């Protein structure tokens, strides 16, 4: 299968709101967002399929090195 992988760093929150709109506009594509915020000890992922969230998970850690 064909796929495009984009990796970037941001000083702000993950771009979930933007991907919600993009996934709805392209329902034939799947989108995956993996995020990790070491200073906030937050990490997780979101998967969009058929224009909607198919699965997601967010974890909060007490240790920024997790």
């Amino acid at each position: 299968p064909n796929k495009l992988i984009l990796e970037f760093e941001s000083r702000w929150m993950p771009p979930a709101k933007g991907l919600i709109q993009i996934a709805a506009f392209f329902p034939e594509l799947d989108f995956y967002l993996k995020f990790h915020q070491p200073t906030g000890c937050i990490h997780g992922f979101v998967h969009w399929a058929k224009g909607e969230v198919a699965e997601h998970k967010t974890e909060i850690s007490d240790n920024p090195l997790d």
Side-chain angles (χ1 to χ4, degrees):
N2 295 329
K3 64 179 163 181
L4 170 66
I5 298 173
L6 299 174
E7 293 186 26
F8 60 91
E9 293 186 19
S10 172
R11 294 178 64 183
W12 300 279
M13 297 293 292
K17 288 183 181 183
L19 276 174
I20 289 170
Q21 294 178 352
I22 293 169
F25 194 70
F26 295 101
E28 68 278 9
L29 302 176
D30 281 23
F31 294 88
Y32 297 87
L33 171 64
K34 182 178 173 184
F35 56 91
H36 177 72
Q37 295 176 300
T39 58
C41 305
I42 299 171
H43 58 275
F45 73 92
V46 185
H47 168 213
W48 288 267
K50 299 180 182 174
E52 298 182 0
V53 173
E55 58 183 325
H56 65 91
K57 183 175 184 177
T58 301
E59 295 182 358
I60 300 173
S61 172
D62 294 333
N63 183 350
L65 300 177
D66 285 349

